[in-house]
Amino acid sequence: MDTLTQDLRYGFRTLMKNPGFAAVAVLTLALGIGANTAIFSVVNAVLLMPLPFPDARQLASVYERTQGGSYNVFSAPNYLAWRDHAQAFETLAVYTGKSYNLAGATEVEHIKGQSVTANLFPLLGVHPILGRAFDAKDDLPGGPKVVVLSYEFWRKHYGGSRSVIGTVLKLDSDSYTILGVMPRGFEIPSPGFLSGNSLSSGEFWVPLQINPLDPNSSARGLHWLFGLARLKPGTTVAQTESQENTLAKQLAKDYPQTDAGYGLLLVPLLDDVVGQVRPVLLILLASVGLVLLIACANVANLLLARATGRQREMALRAVLGANRSRVIRQLLTESVLLAIFGGVLGLILAFDAVHVLASLAPAGTVPRIEAVGVDNRALLFTLIVTILTGVAFGLVPALQASKSGLNDALKEAGRGADSGRRRRALRSALVISEVAVALMLLVGAGLMVVSFKRLTDVNLGFDPRNILSMRVSLPAAKVTAEQLDSFRRTLVQKTAALPGVESAALTRNLPLSGTDPSLFFTIPGAPPVAAGQEPIARARFVSPGYFHTMNISLRKGRDFTEQDGSGSPGVVIISETMARQYWPGQDPIGKQIKPGYPASSLICTIVGVAGDVRHWINIEEPPVAYYPYAQIPASYVPLLQSYFTLTLRTAAAPDTLVGAVRNQIHDFDPDIPVYEVHTMDSLVRESAAADRFQMVLFGIFAGVGLLLAAIGIYGVISYSVTQRTREIGIRMALGAERAEVLRLIVSDGMRLALAGAALGIAGALAVSRFLGGLLYGVKPTDPVTFAVVFVALTAVAFLACFVPARRATKVDPMVALRYE
């Protein structure tokens, strides 16, 4: 212990004697360690920490697997079958999104929550902090109207009053008795593909109350329920899935029209929640690891250069009795001390960095981002990384420095020569490795930039300029179909007549803003298809004028008109993809389809073909069928969310009309909530926000890596120029031109840079394939990206070589010949 204390004191004094060297080394390490700590904190909170439920490893999301290998949510009858007959589940529950209008002090508010089966809260192992949760009686068909509130809703609307239990909450003009309040921050974990969806948070929960006799909600072909299961102790997901697929086969046999080809799919709940972001975060963690490698190589190079000036010290230590291991220990103590200073500074940077990352992450793209912080696990990670870093960059210089003998040290010092070929080779190898790693980082960042550019250049199929949208909620259960249709027509007419509004229309979900249901359909007169193999199309519900308002081109046929009402023959407009897929080489105008509405015999005639529209910016659109709102069967209306989206094309900036449109709606009916007000341009920007965030992070890390690599090249060439001052003076005294000296120095550095770039290209070709899932419209081996990165890196390397080389050409030969 005394020896360690002595080494630490001596190491600290040595670093203080060289504050410039210490500052550069500590800052370099702080960048690498801080970036690693920040990203690890995100990975830890999002991927590694268990979900906040008892025995969370036994929780799984449950889906119905389709014959094609994809998956779907539950139908009500199948959930009831698995609930009553499954053997491997300890508990199986389902839930779905729910929204209501809530009358407030000033205006009506639209609130979102979930309908859940009574066993869902016990399944998760979470209990109310006030009152009680649902029991089996609450979940019976026709059961009481009761509600459980979120903690946040309780605090906001009731001020945290404990007397709220048993009081009445008005939702869509119905009276719901408040049973309980859930803990702070509680929410039902949502599947990763639903990030940003209404299911990802809840202000309330009501009983689902499935009625197996209801022909609408309990139709076998209608999939609308998200499943959660708690597995029995000691069982795995694979075992449970295998056992329960026996029941799936029986259902397929009993109900071939709807269940043929379906099986059961279980996904560990944590994997389902974070599945989409896991590859991104792991690649980011690997990227900051590469930045730390560059930082280590830089500091190791600094230590190698510094070791030259300490050869006499090391030799004298050996003469005075210090063995080689004692010298190595002293030098490693100094390098670990440097790493500790860098780690402390890096930790300080990481505390700020994690908050910046959490604030910059687009809403809904990174689950559990609110839990990110530098906790004890992150502190332990930083400590381990710091110690390993200190050993990593200090070991090789320590081994080299400890080999010097007294005679060699005196001879080399007398000549002012380098510390030997091995040390030069090591410094060159470190520079080559820095350049190689930097190129790999730059290739990754370059691919992300190209991918983002391709994504933002994609043809959306509509014109987002001067589009204003807002959601309006009118509970369908509270009005007749005629009243609802009249309200829609009047709303469009009144808002379209406002000054500055060119056209208006309604749709359920605008592109880039939500998911619409898919409906099976049949083609009258076509050969019958196997059960479970019926054609399917995304169902979009719109009013007349929607295509004109969104500037979606009609390739063939006509638009909907006011005459396409509930008493008129059914009509449908299909997308180009749907036309190509189901009527290849034919004119689909006049063809008929029968939509798979439950309890409906409606047959629709195709009256138009619309251009394809990107509903999600990075996903090719599936077949789409547009149906007029006025012809939605009454049996299907209650199954749709109670909102629709008012869409306006404006002559001026859309933001300037928000107040006028809102006032017009409230003049029409003050009890109608208006919410989620957006411009279409903002939705387009938000749709690419996750890709932009990834691109920025990769770009930052690649930029830091490039900067450190350039500093490394500059440092090696500068040191080489210093050591070769006498040689340069002799060359110039013998008549060498400045251009020759410049070329000599630059060529030495560029050889290292080109060797590193070649090695980096090989490495990038090997690892860039892991980026494939993050890229859009560009291959991981895109030759243009590789070429641009290679040229950019060599240009930076040339600049890093040129600056010290130019300084070398200014050496006075007389001064150089006296240089020692």
Side-chain angles (χ1 to χ4, degrees):
M1 182 59 70
D2 290 340
T3 303
L4 177 60
T5 303
Q6 181 182 355
D7 287 346
L8 288 172
R9 287 176 177 173
Y10 182 79
F12 183 77
R13 289 198 304 269
T14 302
L15 293 178
M16 290 302 99
K17 290 179 181 178
N18 298 274
F21 161 80
V24 171
V26 168
L27 286 173
T28 300
L29 293 172
L31 283 174
I33 294 174
N36 275 268
T37 301
I39 296 299
F40 175 81
S41 297
V42 177
V43 171
N44 176 48
V46 176
L47 302 184
L48 303 181
M49 295 295 291
L51 293 169
F53 306 110
D55 201 14
R57 294 183 182 277
Q58 293 302 109
L59 297 175
S61 295
V62 190
Y63 299 98
E64 293 190 75
R65 190 198 304 268
T66 65
Q67 194 168 29
S70 60
Y71 54 95
N72 202 348
V73 293
F74 271 102
S75 66
N78 283 0
Y79 158 67
L80 296 175
W82 259 293
R83 183 198 65 181
D84 296 336
H85 301 290
Q87 302 297 316
F89 295 129
E90 183 174 285
T91 313
L92 176 64
V94 291
Y95 67 101
T96 190
K98 188 72 173 178
S99 63
Y100 288 109
N101 292 340
L102 172 69
T106 56
E107 63 179 32
V108 175
E109 178 185 358
H110 190 76
I111 60 173
K112 297 179 180 180
Q114 288 99 21
S115 296
V116 303
T117 50
N119 60 351
L120 190 140
F121 294 140
L123 179 151
L124 293 174
V126 181
H127 307 284
I129 59 171
L130 195 64
R132 70 171 178 87
F134 308 126
D135 59 27
K137 293 181 181 178
D138 296 324
D139 206 20
L140 293 175
K145 292 185 181 296
V146 291
V147 62
V148 172
L149 306 180
S150 72
Y151 180 91
E152 291 72 21
F153 184 92
W154 173 57
R155 295 290 298 180
K156 175 182 177 183
H157 292 273
Y158 293 95
S161 172
R162 301 183 67 84
S163 61
V164 69
I165 303 303
T167 61
V168 171
L169 180 67
K170 288 282 189 179
L171 300 175
D172 283 355
S173 301
D174 284 333
S175 297
Y176 284 75
T177 302
I178 300 173
L179 294 183
V181 177
M182 297 305 289
R184 182 198 298 266
F186 169 77
E187 66 178 24
I188 299 171
S190 293
F193 68 89
L194 283 174
S195 295
N197 190 277
S198 59
L199 288 177
S200 62
S201 61
E203 298 183 88
F204 65 86
W205 295 270
V206 294
L208 191 55
Q209 299 178 345
I210 296 175
N211 184 358
L213 302 180
D214 185 349
N216 298 324
S217 62
S218 293
R220 283 202 163 269
L222 186 63
H223 295 258
W224 59 292
L225 297 172
F226 293 84
L228 286 176
R230 180 172 287 278
L231 310 185
K232 290 183 176 179
T235 61
T236 66
V237 164
Q239 291 170 342
T240 304
E241 187 176 294
S242 176
Q243 293 179 42
E244 294 307 331
N245 269 314
T246 302
L247 179 57
K249 294 177 182 177
Q250 185 60 46
L251 290 173
K253 182 178 179 181
D254 295 341
Y255 307 100
Q257 291 299 317
T258 56
D259 286 46
Y262 274 92
L264 197 68
L265 173 67
L266 270 71
V267 182
L269 185 55
L270 179 59
D271 291 349
D272 201 19
V273 170
V274 304
Q276 285 197 330
V277 300
R278 185 190 299 275
V280 178
L281 293 181
L282 293 180
I283 291 173
L284 283 173
L285 187 60
S287 298
V288 294
L290 294 178
V291 171
L292 184 58
L293 281 178
I294 297 175
C296 287
N298 246 347
V299 177
N301 243 328
L302 287 173
L303 288 176
L304 280 170
R306 184 166 171 263
T308 301
R310 301 182 66 183
Q311 288 182 48
R312 290 190 183 215
E313 174 195 342
M314 298 299 111
L316 288 173
R317 281 176 173 271
V319 170
L320 293 175
N323 58 31
R324 190 182 180 200
S325 62
R326 180 70 180 83
V327 173
I328 292 174
R329 188 173 66 189
Q330 171 63 50
L331 294 175
L332 279 179
T333 301
E334 294 177 16
S335 63
V336 171
L337 196 59
L338 268 178
I340 289 174
F341 289 143
V344 171
L345 181 56
L347 190 60
I348 294 172
L349 296 175
F351 274 101
D352 291 329
V354 292
H355 294 303
V356 172
L357 286 173
S359 63
L360 291 180
T365 58
V366 183
R368 306 206 287 172
I369 189 69
E370 68 283 348
V372 172
V374 182
D375 59 7
N376 291 335
R377 190 180 294 187
L379 292 175
L380 178 61
F381 171 83
T382 304
L383 177 62
I384 293 173
V385 167
T386 298
I387 300 301
L388 291 178
T389 298
V391 173
F393 72 73
L395 184 59
V396 172
L399 290 173
Q400 288 295 312
S402 65
K403 291 181 180 180
S404 298
L406 181 59
N407 290 332
D408 291 339
L410 293 174
K411 289 177 183 177
E412 293 185 352
R415 292 194 313 264
D418 200 343
S419 57
R421 291 183 179 178
R422 284 177 298 185
R423 205 163 289 170
R424 286 197 300 271
L426 273 174
R427 284 203 297 273
S428 298
L430 288 170
V431 169
I432 290 172
S433 65
E434 285 185 67
V435 174
V437 173
L439 187 135
M440 292 166 62
L441 285 171
L442 285 170
V443 165
L447 289 171
M448 296 298 292
V449 169
V450 174
S451 173
F452 182 73
K453 182 66 169 59
R454 300 275 173 86
L455 192 65
T456 54
D457 287 345
V458 71
N459 181 12
L460 298 173
F462 60 89
D463 182 3
R465 294 172 298 177
N466 288 1
I467 292 289
L468 176 66
S469 73
M470 54 190 70
R471 283 190 170 164
V472 179
S473 179
L474 185 68
K478 301 301 177 184
V479 294
T480 64
E482 291 76 14
Q483 290 173 323
L484 189 60
D485 184 48
S486 175
F487 169 77
R488 292 195 188 105
R489 290 172 185 262
T490 305
L491 178 63
V492 170
Q493 290 170 3
K494 285 184 174 295
T495 53
L498 286 172
V501 176
E502 294 183 346
S503 64
L506 298 177
T507 183
R508 184 166 180 266
N509 289 306
L510 277 175
L512 314 176
S513 67
T515 301
D516 287 306
S518 293
L519 281 176
F520 288 104
F521 65 91
T522 56
I523 301 175
V529 296
Q533 298 299 305
E534 296 90 346
I536 189 170
R538 188 77 70 189
R540 301 258 157 79
F541 306 102
V542 301
S543 71
Y546 172 74
F547 297 99
H548 171 69
T549 300
M550 291 294 293
N551 199 10
I552 299 172
S553 64
L554 281 173
R555 308 299 193 191
K556 292 181 179 180
R558 66 171 177 88
D559 196 352
F560 297 132
T561 68
E562 297 295 342
Q563 285 67 47
D564 296 318
S566 56
S568 303
V571 292
V572 63
I573 295 174
I574 64 174
S575 66
E576 285 184 293
T577 295
M578 184 170 176
R580 284 193 302 268
Q581 185 165 331
Y582 296 110
W583 292 275
Q586 304 177 49
D587 184 354
I589 302 298
K591 307 287 187 182
Q592 292 184 321
I593 64 172
K594 182 181 182 302
Y597 293 122
S600 172
S601 59
L602 179 68
I603 294 179
C604 296
T605 300
I606 299 173
V607 296
V609 176
D612 287 330
V613 172
R614 287 294 181 101
H615 203 72
W616 300 116
I617 194 169
N618 57 348
I619 299 176
E620 295 286 346
E621 187 73 329
V624 176
Y626 296 90
Y627 300 99
Y629 261 120
Q631 293 186 345
I632 301 175
S635 62
Y636 197 72
V637 170
L639 300 179
L640 299 176
Q641 290 283 350
S642 61
Y643 66 82
F644 43 87
T645 303
L646 175 63
T647 308
L648 308 168
R649 179 165 292 279
T650 65
D655 290 335
T656 62
L657 292 175
V658 172
V661 176
R662 191 190 295 269
N663 291 337
Q664 177 67 70
I665 295 173
H666 286 164
D667 287 344
F668 179 67
D669 189 337
D671 292 332
I672 295 176
V674 177
Y675 57 102
E676 294 186 20
V677 179
H678 299 286
T679 65
M680 201 68 222
D681 283 327
S682 69
L683 287 177
V684 172
R685 287 193 299 272
E686 290 171 11
S687 68
D691 297 89
R692 184 185 298 108
F693 181 61
Q694 295 170 17
M695 178 190 69
V696 169
L697 287 184
F698 277 106
I700 290 173
F701 298 142
V704 172
L706 177 61
L707 176 63
L708 292 177
I711 291 173
I713 295 173
Y714 176 85
V716 166
I717 300 303
S718 292
Y719 182 77
S720 175
V721 167
T722 302
Q723 295 297 308
R724 298 174 65 180
T725 299
R726 189 165 182 268
E727 173 199 339
I728 293 169
I730 293 172
R731 286 177 176 272
M732 296 184 71
L734 294 175
E737 297 291 337
R738 290 181 183 273
E740 295 177 7
V741 174
L742 186 69
R743 185 168 55 251
L744 175 67
I745 302 300
V746 169
S747 62
D748 286 347
M750 289 305 295
R751 276 196 294 269
L752 300 180
L754 291 174
L759 187 61
I761 287 177
L765 287 170
V767 302
S768 61
R769 57 190 176 89
F770 294 108
L771 290 173
L774 308 181
L775 302 177
Y776 177 84
V778 60
K779 294 181 179 179
T781 56
D782 179 49
V784 175
T785 302
F786 274 71
V788 171
V789 167
F790 179 85
V791 171
L793 181 62
T794 52
V796 172
F798 176 82
L799 185 62
C801 296
F802 180 80
V803 174
R806 188 169 180 273
R807 189 175 68 244
T809 63
K810 297 181 179 181
V811 169
D812 186 336
M814 296 304 297
V815 175
L817 291 174
R818 292 197 302 267
Y819 176 79
E820 191 62 39

